[in-house]
């Protein structure tokens, strides 16, 4: 089986290995460049990056690697009711989080002007920055953005969790489709139906989408080693996206406490929850998960929920605590072996050869 697929050719990489993009400050220039310099495609989750900083980020990554890499954005930047809050609404939500702020020594924050940067402004800045690859989740960019990408030589890759989403991405002219199974860690990037109703497994989703679209498909979810990459290629995918195995590497921006959990072999169960950001994500249950889960009906919508939790998370990360941070993890975590990108990439490439 050849690993020199059309997807590999379009992306300009050496091997059919893509590092999944991480949001929430967990992506790092070091991680992206380490993967790209080894012949894969490094990816930086930029959805929390200010539009005016995207060009700076692109230059930093371009300085660290001359190989292709991806910048990733969230097309949908808010859920209903999550764009603006009145002071009264803000004050009604804050008591949910107040005990954690007090425990971590944080003052009550003032409401921000924006809870999340607007995708349209981020996309405009990304077009100006011209990264080699623009990957995106939670929707399809406008026709204008996609046309601009083609004119500027930017390869586009969109995430699909259902057949209908894959067909919508193909109809829009996206270059590559990432078939994202429910095994994957992090957010479920569904956009045509609720995420809870869009839970295809990677095994089925990859085969189903590959038969119904003409553009190359990338399989994501439950892949952490060469066997997983081979399986993805056998099922018709032209590359495999690996998330949790790279998240557990020293080069990622997560905490040592999180890495210890991922490598501990004790993560036998993950969960899908809206507790952390307001959008469904696969995580390792912890204290914050346990305490917010019963209060789901009281929690604010995305991105307001994520904004409050991000302040708790930043303070907990600074203290290297794992009980009050978002512990993203895919279901494949018990099989993780490698603690840095060189070792992981060497193992993957040895299996592929």
């Amino acid at each position: 089986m050849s690993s020199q697929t059309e997807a590999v050719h379009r992306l300009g990489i050496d091997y059919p290995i893509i590092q999944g993009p991480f949001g929430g400050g967990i992506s790092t220039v070091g991680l992206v460049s380490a993967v790209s310099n080894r012949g894969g495609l490094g990816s930086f989750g930029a959805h929390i990056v200010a539009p005016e900083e995207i060009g700076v980020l692109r230059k930093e990554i371009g300085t660290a690697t001359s190989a292709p890499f991806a910048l990733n954005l969230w097309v949908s930047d808010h859920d209903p009711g999550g764009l603006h809050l009145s002071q009264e609404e803000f004050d009604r939500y804050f008591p949910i989080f107040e005990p954690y702020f007090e425990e971590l020594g944080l003052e009550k924050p003032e409401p921000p002007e924006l809870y999340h940067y607007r995708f349209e402004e981020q996309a405009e800045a990304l077009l100006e920055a011209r990264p080699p690859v623009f990957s995106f989740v939670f929707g399809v960019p406008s026709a204008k953005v996609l046309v601009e990408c083609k004119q500027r030589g930017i390869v586009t890759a969109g995430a699909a969790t259902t057949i209908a989403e894959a067909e919508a991405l193909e109809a829009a002219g996206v270059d590559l489709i990432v078939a994202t199974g429910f095994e994957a860690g992090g957010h479920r990037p569904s956009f045509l139906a609720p995420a809870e109703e869009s839970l295809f497994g990677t095994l089925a989703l990859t085969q189903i989408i590959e038969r119904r679209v003409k553009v190359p498909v990338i399989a994501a979810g439950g892949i952490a080693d060469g066997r997983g990459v081979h399986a993805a290629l056998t099922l018709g995918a032209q590359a495999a996206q690996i998330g949790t195995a790279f998240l557990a590497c020293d080069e990622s921006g997560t905490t040592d406490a999180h890495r210890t959990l991922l490598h501990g072999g004790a993560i036998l169960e993950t969960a899908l929850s809206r507790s952390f950001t307001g959008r469904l994500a696969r995580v390792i249950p912890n204290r914050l998960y346990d305490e917010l889960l019963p209060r789901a009906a009281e929690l604010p919508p995305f991105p307001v929920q994520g904004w409050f939790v991000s302040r708790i998370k930043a303070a907990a990360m600074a203290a290297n605590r794992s009980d009050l941070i978002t512990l993203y993890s895919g279901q494949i975590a018990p099989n993780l072996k490698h603690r840095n990108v060189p070792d992981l990439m060497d193992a993957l490439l040895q299996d592929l050869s």
Side-chain angles (χ1 to χ4, degrees):
M1 180 188 305
S2 173
S3 61
Q4 296 303 303
T5 65
E6 184 182 350
V8 167
H9 175 72
R10 286 197 187 189
L11 292 168
I13 57 181
D14 296 326
Y15 308 105
I17 298 169
I18 297 167
Q19 171 238 316
F22 309 132
I26 302 176
S27 287
T28 68
V29 172
L31 175 63
V32 175
S33 59
V35 176
S36 291
N37 285 335
R38 289 274 179 152
L41 183 77
S43 306
F44 195 105
H47 77 278
I48 64 168
V49 178
E52 61 270 21
E53 295 296 325
I54 287 178
V56 176
L57 172 63
R58 191 260 181 267
K59 289 180 182 177
E60 289 179 355
I61 300 174
T63 299
T65 181
S66 59
F69 61 88
L71 294 184
N72 181 275
L73 294 177
W74 291 18
V75 178
S76 169
D77 54 41
H78 68 279
D79 288 344
L83 188 57
H84 297 292
L85 288 187
S86 66
Q87 184 67 53
E88 181 182 358
E89 290 171 319
F90 185 90
D91 291 339
R92 188 172 72 246
Y93 284 126
F94 179 67
I96 300 172
F97 309 100
E98 188 171 12
Y100 306 110
F101 275 71
E102 292 179 350
E103 179 179 338
L104 294 165
L106 302 174
E107 299 290 331
K108 178 182 178 181
E110 292 296 322
E113 291 186 17
L114 284 175
Y115 288 93
H116 193 288
Y117 298 113
R118 302 312 309 272
F119 167 75
E120 291 79 9
E121 296 176 5
Q122 290 179 310
E124 184 177 342
L126 184 143
L127 288 169
E128 187 66 27
R130 295 194 184 192
V133 182
F134 170 30
S135 66
F136 43 86
V137 294
F138 289 115
V140 187
S142 68
K144 179 179 181 297
V145 169
L146 292 175
V147 168
E148 284 283 334
C149 284
K150 289 190 183 298
Q151 292 175 346
R152 295 167 187 251
I154 302 171
V155 177
T156 55
T161 64
T162 65
I163 301 165
E165 289 175 354
E167 291 173 341
L169 289 164
E170 181 180 45
V174 173
D175 294 318
L176 303 161
I177 295 173
V178 183
T180 307
F182 66 71
E183 300 94 328
H187 286 90
R188 303 297 308 134
S190 305
F191 60 92
L192 289 182
E196 289 86 350
E197 300 172 12
S198 308
L199 298 179
F200 276 88
T202 305
L203 185 74
L205 187 64
T206 299
Q207 296 176 84
I208 292 170
I209 290 179
E210 185 271 335
R211 291 284 182 90
R212 286 163 175 78
V213 300
K214 294 183 173 60
V215 301
V217 173
I218 298 163
I223 303 170
D225 56 23
R227 292 188 306 169
V229 177
H230 273 295
L233 297 177
T234 300
L235 296 176
Q238 297 195 22
Q241 181 167 290
I242 298 173
T244 304
F246 282 116
L247 175 62
C249 289
D250 293 337
E251 293 86 350
S252 86
T254 195
T255 64
D256 289 338
H258 189 184
R259 267 187 283 268
T260 297
L261 283 172
L262 291 172
H263 283 295
I267 303 172
L268 302 180
E269 188 173 324
T270 58
L272 288 169
S273 173
R274 292 180 178 268
S275 297
F276 294 103
T277 67
R279 287 185 173 172
L280 194 68
R282 184 169 295 284
V283 299
I284 303 167
N286 62 357
R287 174 188 160 197
L288 191 62
Y289 166 90
D290 290 338
E291 293 178 357
L292 291 182
L293 188 63
R295 307 188 70 175
E298 305 171 53
L299 298 176
F302 174 86
V304 180
Q305 164 75 356
W307 184 85
F308 278 114
V309 170
S310 69
R311 271 115 194 101
I312 298 168
K313 175 182 174 182
M317 287 182 73
N320 201 32
R321 291 176 56 172
S322 60
D323 60 331
L324 295 178
I325 67 172
T326 311
L327 298 171
Y328 296 118
S329 175
Q331 290 182 322
I332 196 65
N335 280 11
L336 299 184
K337 296 179 180 178
H338 306 288
R339 294 180 178 270
N340 59 66
V341 170
D343 288 349
L344 175 56
M345 287 295 294
D346 284 349
L348 290 166
L349 298 184
Q350 183 176 357
D351 288 343
L352 282 175
S353 66

